[in-house]
Amino acid sequence: MSYQGKKNIPKITSDRLLIKGGRIVNDDQSFHADIYMEDGLIKQIGDNLIVPGGVKTIEANGKMVIPGGIDIHTHFQMPYRGTTTVDDFNQGSKAALAGGTTMIVDHVIPEPGTSLMEAYDQWRQWADEKTCCDYSLHVDITHWNDSVKQEVDNLIKEKGVNSFHVYMAYKDYYQMSNSELYEVFTFLAERGGIAQVHAENGEIIAEEQARMLQMGITGPEGHVLSRPEELEAEAVFRAITIASQTNCPLYVTRVMSKSAADIISQARKKGNVVFGEPITASLGTDGTHYWSKNWAKAASFVTSPPLSPDPTTPDYLNTLLSSGDLSVTGSAHCTFSVAQKAIGKDDFTQIPEGVNGVEERMALIWDKAVTTGKMDENMFVAVTSTNAAKILNLYPRKGRIAVGSDADLVIWDTDSIRTITAKTHNSAAEYNVFEGMELRGAPLVVICQGKIVLEDGNLHATSGVGRFIPCSPFPDFAYKRVKARKQLAVLRAVPRGMYDGPVSEFSMSRGGTPSASARTSPTKQPVRNLHQSGFSLAGPPTPDDVPIRPAGRRIVVPPGGRSNITSLS
Amino acid sequence: MSDCRRQWNREDELPVYLAGPITTGPNQRKSFGMFSSVEGAFDSKTIDFDNYAVGRKGSRTPRSGSRERLLDTGDPVGKTPSEPREGSLTNSPGDREDARTGVEVRFSTEKESPDGKNERLLIKGGRVVNDDQSFYADVYIEDGLIKQVGENLVVPGGVKVIEANGRMVIPGGIDVNTCLMKPFLGTQPVDDFLQGTKAAIAGGTTMIIDHVTPQPEDSLLEAFERWQEAADKRACCDYSLHVDIPQWNESVKYELELLVQEKGVNSFQVYMAYKDVYQMTDSQLYEAFSFLKQLGAVVLVHAENGDLIAQEQRKILGMGITGPEGHPLSRPEELEAEAVFRAITLGNRVNCPVYITKVMSKSAADTITQARRKGSVVFGEPITASLATDGSHYWSKNWAKAAAYVTSPPLSPDPTTPDHLHTLLACGDLQVVGSSHCAYSTSQKAVGKDDFTLIPEGTNGVEERMGFVWDKAVAMGKMDENQFVAVTSTNAAKIFNLYPRKGRIAVGSDADIVIWDPDSVKTITAKLQQSASEYNIFEGLECRGAPAMVLSQGRVVYEDGNLQTQQGTGRFIPRKPFPDYAYQRVKFRNQVKNKQGVTRGIYDGPVYDVIPTPKYITPAPSAKTSPTSHQPPPIRNLHQSNFSLSGAQIDDNVPRRSGHRIVAPPGGRSNITSLG
């Protein structure tokens, strides 16, 4: 493992830790046991552990000890039109730790036309300097050609990236055509990557935006009006179709609406390998705020796909999350200051998109799903960390409390009640989309890399200790099924005699043949060459006496008397 | 002859309403064997016609079952579906004779013009079946129009009388999807307007709506005129035309407007498949939908994801699969469902009715069903092929046979598909039945013998359409006869604004009428079909239910297997825009769906300076297309003028939710917003 050797062993006193009397909650079971950690790893689990002297001991007093959260979707320090999001890797990962999240996965967004590898290096540099917790990276594919293909290949093989994000929205910018998506997915399926999609129909959005602006709607409400949830559902449906065609695992980022979630859950019922990621905002709040009279407040909710104006959405998404139809939760934390948002004060299409949520994520799910009885504590662990670790192929290093796993732990206080407010949050943004919300459940102690970073409400995060965690391709969680299906789904041609009947003359002028791929498909195929070479038809043609459907089996000798239309039959 | 006429007349004097409803019990009538010696050749048209033995309670009328064929001057031994059973009949003629009735034609006074040009016709004793109800009534027809419907009609003398004998009298079928002139690489389908309409009539269809398929770059108007000219010369039944839009640009818009306003076309097809040829992008579709909605036209969509198909085709060819099985393999039904979903989404956004042509798979049909549950205005059209057969034949070892099934979207290899589609058709989730009849000869299909992507696409079905819907839906008990009429004609007429001129038997409607024989059983075979193609994809299937007699424009054009069509008699039926069936809901929704912006104070806080040189273009998708950067939005203008903020602040203090607190951020920027 390439652990960034230089900052591998920071000298910290609490190198060895013992958590006593906690209830360990993994995604599969809960049990009472003590945990002994050393050098950032969990060394022992059990009762009456034999530990060296001088170990710092934390009394959990029967509280839950859960694997630290993994926020699978953040945008820290994201450049946007010459500015960057107000939460950089330091600020952002601090907020993450404060919320009980000990690992983040950030999105690398190269500008279209620029090198993926350079962007990746840039992000690595930023993150290595500043993060306070472990991190990993997704790389967004913003354009597609052969050199990008090569870079993706390198990123998978050498750089520890196994998930790539493509866009179906942002027309003329990030958006990819269906053909490109097909190629990307095919390629990722070969290399064992996870295809993440931003699912919205960008073309229709562009038309709708133009219409809204024409109608004189320029405020943030235009954002949600021009991006109705149908468009999200449509794109999700399309993405699933393409993924299923290419037999590639699909990961839908930011499931914001009921209909999109429904499509995912239907597809899963049909057996598609698809994962849905609702984000903190879609699980916790809704899109009615877009109509707020306070422009700054309304603008702070702007994200894409937008929050659904249907106030029953969060509840619904929490239900699907509990039932396992949605798999992981992210935050899509991407915060802009009000001044930055105000770039779009006269035109909602210019408002930088992004909401906060990295800090609130775990508590919000606990409050909305566990305390309401929708999900149990094990499922809570699954959706906040374990599933994410599995998808990223980091399991069981992350997302589980087991001997040998990283010592990223959270002692969860199920009873603490907090009111979310921008005054006290760790993000640098002026607005918090969850402002005023009371959340039950909070981390009491957060241990990251075997060190206590949150205790008694005090954050002791150290900038730059975060390590890059490389993700290897072909995660079993996603690819086991895919591999098995690949073996089954082998298509075969029907061996037929050569058609030797008359062939109608056709003009080669190609007056627009209805044949779809006439221009793109390689019309010289191997089989024909086989026939033309010494391929033998194996003696007399087999009589076609095994009817596929008995009723329709008769072979017709047409009135014209052309009895030699086919060599078989 | 005079004897029998008297006999008939006497019986007819009994009012029809004395008859009980359709009885399923044994026939009460007894046969005197009256006509058994006259014409035995047509005896066995049906075997058990008890079911519709109606009227004339207690009548002892002889029913020999033979028909006088006064109109028929030709050899009566034609393609009678019942031919094979003749032999058995001759063994026991008496047993059979009492069990059946027939359709008889005669003249009430003297025999005149036996050539079928009689303008006055009376259909007596039939059970008129419309989409809403069935009732016993006589139908009087004059000049190609239905003049009277009812009992004891007062009709002039010299009227040709058709005895329906209690059979179903239904509106002639409307086949909404035929391609009788669709060029493919310079060749035309073997069934042109003459051959195709003959086949239509033989199957009980009295009107077709053909697709005008101009090539990209062609003028729509010219293509339309070409089609109209060809059809005027050749068609034997009324027709109308859809126009396909092969590409989208400004000149097309102009032509569409002309077509709608002056040429009587109210339906246009767009393609989501056929990449680089006909396919339109989502943006183009959005524009096309918006434009067509303004014109009040129905948007027909060929729904398949062309991008993915192109990719799959390449993949399949790369694997060495070149035969017709590559066709369904490269066009899995998912791609159809996906495109249907997208088309419906577009339709919803634009608030425009969407009509999906050729629903071939369960998942596409289910997608339509779900959308209709949510209130989308969407119509689905399964075709004869998808209703009667499946895609397993693509794997036939006989290349020519396999190729005959090639159509797009392909027939689903799932053999339960036809059943599922019939169920949805019966419950109204799918509305109309087309045939997508586009018959190419085997040698034309053989253009693609080494590459399935070159196989001309199209199957037959115009002739078999009504029969199969009857056989698979009505005879199976899924659908009643009224729904049968609805899906074969009425709904089509409503969607395309032909109703009630077509698709209904009512006073004033066109006299396109079919007397339907629900019990006729025939085996479909290419030998006996009207179509000129060598293969019939329904080859060998048994089909119950067939027209006994077909009237088009008030003339008998088909009777007991004999066609009496005249080419060139078909008229072009113009259609007006804004059909109520599709547009009424849309109009109301237009009124309701008025979006309004929020009136806010102007944001007067700090604004981050954006680098003027857009090295980073905004991720806002429409940055290039939206008019924002060029025209100042109206609301801002209001503010810039003398709009006062003072009034607007009062209600701002009412918080919407608990989360409404306005935050003074740590930086102390308390004047971020002017309001609240």
Side-chain angles (χ1 to χ4, degrees), chain A residues 268-434:
Chain A
R268 287 175 65 91
K269 298 223 188 324
K270 286 188 201 148
N272 295 33
V273 183
V274 54
F275 307 104
E277 168 209 278
I279 65 169
T280 321
S282 64
L283 291 169
T285 182
D286 59 59
T288 53
H289 303 277
Y290 289 118
W291 280 267
S292 164
K293 294 258 184 188
N294 177 344
W295 188 92
K297 183 182 175 201
S300 71
F301 285 84
V302 169
T303 185
S304 286
L307 288 157
S308 166
D310 178 351
T312 61
T313 305
D315 199 47
Y316 193 81
L317 294 182
N318 276 301
T319 306
L320 289 188
L321 193 62
S322 314
S323 70
D325 281 349
L326 299 174
S327 312
V328 290
T329 52
S331 68
H333 189 90
C334 179
T335 45
F336 290 98
S337 69
V338 171
Q340 286 170 325
K341 291 262 183 191
I343 292 168
K345 73 188 171 72
D346 299 320
D347 176 358
F348 65 86
T349 65
Q350 309 289 321
I351 300 173
E353 294 168 355
V355 291
N356 63 305
V358 70
E359 187 174 353
E360 298 81 3
R361 188 178 65 102
M362 308 261 294
L364 197 126
I365 294 165
W366 184 268
D367 180 77
K368 300 268 176 194
V370 186
T371 61
T372 55
K374 284 180 196 277
M375 69 168 70
D376 57 26
E377 54 193 21
N378 303 99
M379 194 68 190
F380 173 72
V381 171
V383 299
T384 52
S385 63
T386 313
N387 288 349
K390 285 179 178 171
I391 289 173
L392 293 167
N393 219 358
L394 296 172
Y395 188 80
R397 180 178 176 187
K398 301 280 185 190
R400 185 169 186 83
I401 299 179
V403 174
S405 298
D406 279 359
D408 290 351
L409 299 178
V410 172
I411 299 179
W412 191 257
D413 182 357
T414 55
D415 299 323
S416 115
I417 296 179
R418 231 170 9 138
T419 304
I420 306 289
T421 163
K423 269 188 203 167
T424 57
H425 71 190
N426 284 285
S427 161
E430 296 104 325
Y431 272 83
N432 189 315
V433 294
F434 310 104

